[in-house]
Amino acid sequence: MSRSSPQALALREPAAVLLLVSVPARASGELLALDASARAAAGVAEGGSPPRDLRDFLRRAGMVDDPVWDRLERGEVVAGARLPGDLWVSAGRVPDHDQLLVVVVRTHAVEHVGHDDTRGVVAAGPGTALSALREGHLVVDWIDGAFTRTTGATAHDVLGRSWEELLSTRDEAALAQLTRGVSLARSTTVTVLDHRGDGTAFLHEVRAVPLLDRTGAVCHVVSWHSDVTRRTAEASATDHTTDRSTERRAATRLEVLGRLDAVVLDEDVTHGIRSVVRVLGDHLVSAAMVALLREGPGGAATEVEVVAAHGPRLHGLVGHRLRRSRQAGPDPLLDPAAPDTGEPLEIAALDAPAGTATAWLAELTAGTPALALPLRGRENVIGVLVVVPHPGGTGPEDRTVLAGAARRAGLLVENERLHAREHALAETLQRSMLPDATGLDGIEGLDVWTFYASNVEHAQVGGDWYDVLPPAVDGGGQHVAGIVVGDVVGHDVEAAAAMGQIRSVVRSAAHELDDPASVLMRVDQLTGGMRIPRMASLVYATLQRLDDGGWEMAWSSAGHLPPLLRRGNADPPAVEVLSEATGTLVGLGERPRPTRERALAPGDVLVFYTDGLIETRARPVHDGLEVLVEVLAASRARDAAGIGEELLSGLGDTPEDDTAIVVVRVPEESEADGGALPTADTPRRRRWQLPAEPSSIGKARHATLRACAVWGLRCGPQAEIVVSELVANAVLHGWGTIGLRLFDLPGALRLEVEDDSPEEPQVVEARPDGGGGHGMRLVASLGRWGTTRTRRGKIVWVEIPTAPKN
């Protein structure tokens, strides 16, 4: 072989790993720690005394004398040198710790190269890391350049951190196996599907070797890190044990790794799970599916549902669900205490009690050689990946890829659920601070409708809010009510918390002062002292009933969008943009704020709103305000709720930002005497959001009866019975905010009640004692009904035939 062509040297098992104390200027070769192989080579029996220094080790291990040992004793770094007996020695300094890590490795014999000439030899060594045990935790002390080239992680990324971060993809099973090996002072090797710093996937082989101090206790761990993706593919290409093309198995395994890596972690969880299943079913196994546990209140799993499946034997199972029984015994697949081996389990061979998810999956896949891998969240098992292997079975490399796919699917679901829990927390906090949305607790003598919706596209919660303050007697004996609409910057729990603080401050100031400008100036003072971290805008208006029966509005704005006033006696209707009385955002100034007034007549309509109603990515605020004015001017509805529905319909019913709206309408004189509202052709739908509490049942009945009266429907009594039963069921058996929606369809009134529970109501036989069972039977007798599943729960709907209208 030409000396000008470097010859590759294949490294095998470590013969000895030593950690020397190497203080500059006085290196002595003192031995700090050594691995089990080195202890055995030096003849250290259990409880025996280990070598004191490098020379003592060489003597006791029978190592041949060589100049390289002198260099190591002096504390020099050795990139690599061959020794007699097919050994290779290298040494690297551990910065900031006065230590030298020495590794002696066995090699395959190499002809034509003498042990004293390594110029023509290239050692294909893996990346190396050294971790130290401190206060019971392994912390990374040093990595070499090969580790960075293999994993993409730099010293800045891992030094001083837990050795678990040597794997960028947290693999609990692999980490547990490595930790077990360290505790037993035993060399351990694992292979995991990992990701480099640039995000690309690779098969990461980790070999961990514990080092023992003079007492025999583990004090350090040396780990070697290799990318074995190509090696695994080449090994598979020589495997002739299956009836598939072995070369194709190797190539497709690499393709699967790349495709799984393309499943973005923050994408829609359903799409992500389907992508994982499709990749496996197309390239690695005959068929694949995922069944997830659905969460109930407090995170309890209430049922298991097949959410994605791909392949001829499993694709028809999507949508199958199992209601989990509390009486069922331990579940081999879903028990949180089940060990995570990372190995697929044969479902048919598992001893699963009847009623468990494992037994249910065995029934679904009966006659099919199905394997299962649990999907694990941070604390519990959250689902199962089920695969049907090809006739040739699955090799070790296939199982490694399947384990990586299960981890990816579990991570997708866990991330989505963590986000959903954070959103639910913020939404609950926000809704708890909003007043009653049915308008029943509004302002006596006025028709008030309110609406709030969070961001639809990203399911985010922000700081938009509204408030309807009940009438209070001012100093002159007049009844004064208040309307507040505001917007805190941000879309998170902190924004919702800041909103709650500002809302409380506004309520407090409004209780003491009756002039809107004075209220906002007091809010400026109080929020400045509270150091609320978010900017906010708001508009505050008072509504006062005059002695002659009319109404007067006064308002002041802290940088908020202007209210709108539509005159009811104008023909055509005219809309005034109340852009006066505008000042700086809350807390940004101490200047006096202005107040402006308007007299209100019967039929007049006021609209307060946040930017989520009018602004989208394709429509700036100015253009959106013009559309809002046009829609309000053209509205034909005769009540505040109908006007609000027209505004939502005209500006898009799926806001891209949080939206809060308050519509106030001064009733006509005929309504004051109890007369019926004139009916209008549009819009014929209504919606309300109700808290899950018993008082919502009565409010839902009242809102339904009013809508039927406005629409001129004679089925109000039947609708009242139906909505009472559906809302009562949602309060008693469901959870989350209750949504109530009404639709006047041709020939039928459709009522929808939504909650976050997936459990569907059932029509059952009435109990003999009369204690229950009548509700849904009565509902079924009044109209056609059914349920629709949603992402968070269900919608129960009923369609009641409508009598001829007035």
Side-chain angles (χ1 to χ4, degrees):
M1 174 178 287
S2 171
R3 287 290 184 90
S4 62
S5 301
Q7 184 172 359
L9 186 67
L11 304 182
R12 300 174 66 190
E13 297 296 316
V17 182
L18 313 172
L19 189 62
L20 306 180
V21 177
S22 181
V23 181
R26 57 184 182 87
S28 62
E30 178 184 351
L31 192 59
L32 178 65
L34 68 170
D35 74 326
S37 298
R39 288 172 66 92
V44 180
E46 184 175 353
S49 176
R52 300 182 306 277
D53 53 31
L54 179 61
R55 286 296 171 185
D56 189 15
F57 168 76
L58 297 175
R59 178 182 58 80
R60 293 168 63 170
M63 290 285 188
V64 177
D65 192 23
D66 192 278
V68 72
W69 304 123
D70 298 328
R71 295 172 58 193
L72 296 177
E73 195 173 25
R74 293 193 299 268
E76 295 182 18
V77 173
V78 176
R82 288 206 70 208
L83 298 174
D86 293 323
L87 296 177
W88 179 267
V89 62
S90 61
R93 181 172 298 282
V94 182
D96 303 325
H97 292 281
D98 294 333
Q99 296 169 355
L100 193 72
L101 180 66
V102 180
V103 182
V104 182
V105 186
R106 298 182 180 90
T107 70
H108 290 288
V110 181
E111 298 179 356
H112 310 303
V113 179
H115 80 273
D116 59 344
D117 186 0
T118 60
R119 290 173 297 174
V121 176
V122 175
T128 307
L130 177 67
S131 303
L133 190 65
R134 296 193 179 91
E135 299 180 355
H137 301 283
L138 280 170
V139 178
V140 181
D141 273 355
W142 170 73
I143 61 171
D144 65 1
F147 176 88
T148 298
R149 289 192 295 273
T150 299
T151 67
T154 65
H156 175 75
D157 298 326
V158 297
L159 291 189
R161 302 186 180 184
S162 169
W163 83 315
E164 296 177 349
E165 299 197 28
L166 295 173
L167 292 174
S168 61
T169 299
R170 187 175 179 88
D171 187 317
E172 299 294 347
L175 290 173
Q177 188 175 346
L178 292 172
T179 302
R180 250 189 331 267
V182 170
S183 65
L184 299 174
R186 190 169 58 198
S187 175
T188 307
T189 302
V190 299
T191 303
V192 301
L193 177 62
D194 206 352
H195 293 80
R196 296 186 181 86
D198 61 1
T200 57
F202 72 107
L203 289 179
H204 186 172
E205 182 182 85
V206 182
R207 181 177 182 81
V209 176
L211 305 184
L212 293 80
D213 60 17
R214 298 191 63 80
T215 68
V218 175
C219 60
H220 291 77
V221 174
V222 178
S223 53
W224 289 283
H225 302 260
S226 305
D227 179 356
V228 297
T229 309
R230 188 173 298 279
R231 185 203 313 169
T232 301
E234 292 171 351
S236 296
T238 62
D239 181 5
H240 300 285
T241 61
T242 71
D243 59 357
R244 299 175 60 212
S245 167
T246 54
E247 292 186 0
R248 174 172 172 76
R249 284 177 64 89
T252 56
R253 192 176 294 114
L254 291 176
E255 183 177 358
V256 169
L257 290 175
R259 289 179 179 271
L260 288 177
D261 189 53
V263 179
V264 184
L265 291 181
D266 60 355
E267 69 177 317
D268 174 72
V269 64
T270 302
H271 181 269
I273 292 295
R274 288 173 179 169
S275 297
V276 170
V277 168
R278 186 167 53 252
V279 168
L280 295 178
D282 283 343
H283 301 282
L284 196 68
V285 293
S286 175
M289 77 177 186
V290 167
L292 295 181
L293 275 71
R294 297 295 188 186
E295 293 184 331
T302 58
E303 68 175 13
V304 187
E305 179 182 4
V306 178
V307 297
H310 187 73
R313 304 186 187 183
L314 302 179
H315 74 278
L317 299 178
V318 174
H320 279 63
R321 296 192 297 272
L322 168 71
R323 181 72 181 173
R324 298 196 73 191
S325 171
R326 295 182 180 179
Q327 287 73 36
D331 195 315
L333 288 175
L334 302 183
D335 187 348
D340 185 7
T341 63
E343 288 291 318
L345 304 173
E346 187 177 348
I347 297 177
L350 296 175
D351 185 14
T356 62
T358 302
W360 175 68
L361 289 173
E363 293 176 5
L364 291 181
T365 59
T368 302
L371 305 177
L373 293 95
L375 308 183
R376 295 183 179 269
R378 299 178 65 180
E379 299 178 354
N380 302 313
V381 175
I382 56 179
V384 182
L385 169 65
V386 178
V387 298
V388 178
H390 286 290
T394 57
E397 295 80 15
D398 293 330
R399 292 195 290 271
T400 298
V401 176
L402 289 174
R407 285 190 291 273
R408 171 56 63 93
L411 187 58
L412 280 169
V413 177
E414 182 70 5
N415 284 348
E416 190 270 344
R417 290 185 177 178
L418 286 173
H419 176 74
R421 282 193 282 269
E422 179 182 353
H423 172 259
L425 172 63
E427 187 176 39
T428 300
L429 174 63
Q430 191 166 28
R431 290 195 184 280
S432 69
M433 300 175 185
L434 298 177
D436 173 59
T438 61
L440 301 180
D441 297 334
I443 303 171
E444 184 179 356
L446 294 176
D447 181 12
V448 180
W449 177 82
T450 59
F451 177 80
Y452 168 80
S454 59
N455 182 311
V456 170
E457 181 177 354
H458 300 292
Q460 294 178 331
V461 173
D464 289 24
W465 90 96
Y466 66 86
D467 210 347
V468 179
L469 307 181
V473 180
D474 67 1
Q478 298 293 326
H479 290 272
V480 179
I483 300 289
V484 187
V485 172
D487 186 359
V488 176
V489 174
H491 295 88
D492 51 24
V493 176
E494 185 178 86
M499 175 271 287
Q501 290 177 294
I502 296 176
R503 176 179 180 266
S504 297
V505 169
V506 173
R507 281 200 159 219
S508 175
H511 181 73
E512 299 176 2
L513 304 167
D514 58 352
D515 175 56
S518 300
V519 169
L520 292 191
M521 286 188 285
R522 176 66 60 84
V523 172
D524 288 334
Q525 295 172 352
L526 295 176
T527 54
M530 296 170 66
R531 297 185 178 179
I532 295 176
R534 299 294 181 93
M535 293 187 295
S537 68
L538 68 88
V539 59
Y540 174 65
T542 59
L543 294 164
Q544 179 177 337
R545 191 157 198 170
L546 305 178
D547 294 336
D548 60 3
W551 290 85
E552 181 180 74
M553 180 189 75
W555 82 97
S556 186
S557 174
H560 198 75
L561 292 167
L564 303 181
L565 171 60
R566 190 189 74 177
R567 294 297 185 180
N569 56 4
D571 190 17
V575 176
E576 182 181 0
V577 179
L578 304 180
S579 56
E580 309 166 61
T582 299
T584 59
L585 296 175
V586 173
L588 294 186
E590 298 183 356
R591 300 176 183 176
R593 292 186 179 275
T595 294
R596 295 293 183 269
E597 298 88 13
R598 290 290 189 278
L600 303 179
D604 287 353
V605 176
L606 288 167
V607 177
F608 304 84
Y609 53 96
T610 58
D611 58 358
L613 177 65
I614 62 175
E615 184 180 23
T616 65
R617 285 187 291 266
R619 184 177 63 208
V621 171
H622 178 75
D623 293 346
L625 180 58
E626 291 182 351
V627 175
L628 177 60
V629 170
E630 294 174 358
V631 174
L632 179 59
S635 172
R636 292 180 292 169
R638 296 290 191 264
D639 62 332
I643 294 170
E645 291 290 348
E646 287 193 333
L647 298 182
L648 291 175
S649 299
L651 284 102
D653 221 357
T654 55
E656 295 179 5
D657 197 0
D658 296 349
T659 301
I661 312 172
V662 177
V663 178
V664 180
R665 173 179 163 274
V666 181
E668 303 284 354
E669 294 180 359
S670 60
E671 297 175 56
D673 299 329
L677 281 170
T679 59
D681 293 334
T682 60
R684 292 190 172 271
R685 68 175 184 178
R686 298 289 185 270
R687 73 190 81 180
W688 297 272
Q689 294 157 334
L690 306 168
E693 57 188 36
S695 63
S696 294
I697 302 172
K699 294 175 181 179
R701 287 201 304 265
H702 179 93
T704 301
L705 287 173
R706 178 173 173 80
C708 290
V710 171
W711 292 336
L713 302 179
R714 296 179 179 176
C715 60
Q718 295 92 323
E720 182 182 14
I721 294 172
V722 168
V723 80
S724 294
E725 177 63 25
L726 298 188
V727 175
N729 282 342
V731 170
L732 294 174
H733 307 297
W735 57 86
T737 300
I738 299 171
L740 170 62
R741 290 180 289 273
L742 306 181
F743 302 87
D744 183 18
L745 306 177
L749 173 66
R750 182 182 176 97
L751 300 95
E752 295 183 352
V753 174
E754 180 178 9
D755 63 42
D756 292 348
S757 169
E759 184 175 1
E760 300 178 357
Q762 303 291 328
V763 176
V764 298
E765 293 296 329
R767 299 177 187 173
D769 59 2
H774 302 281
M776 289 307 298
R777 290 173 58 84
L778 180 58
V779 168
S781 69
L782 293 174
R784 191 170 66 95
W785 75 282
T787 59
T788 303
R789 296 297 294 262
T790 66
R791 183 178 65 87
R792 297 175 59 175
K794 67 176 181 303
I795 295 173
V796 182
W797 55 266
V798 180
E799 292 184 356
I800 303 173
T802 53
K805 301 174 185 178
N806 293 331

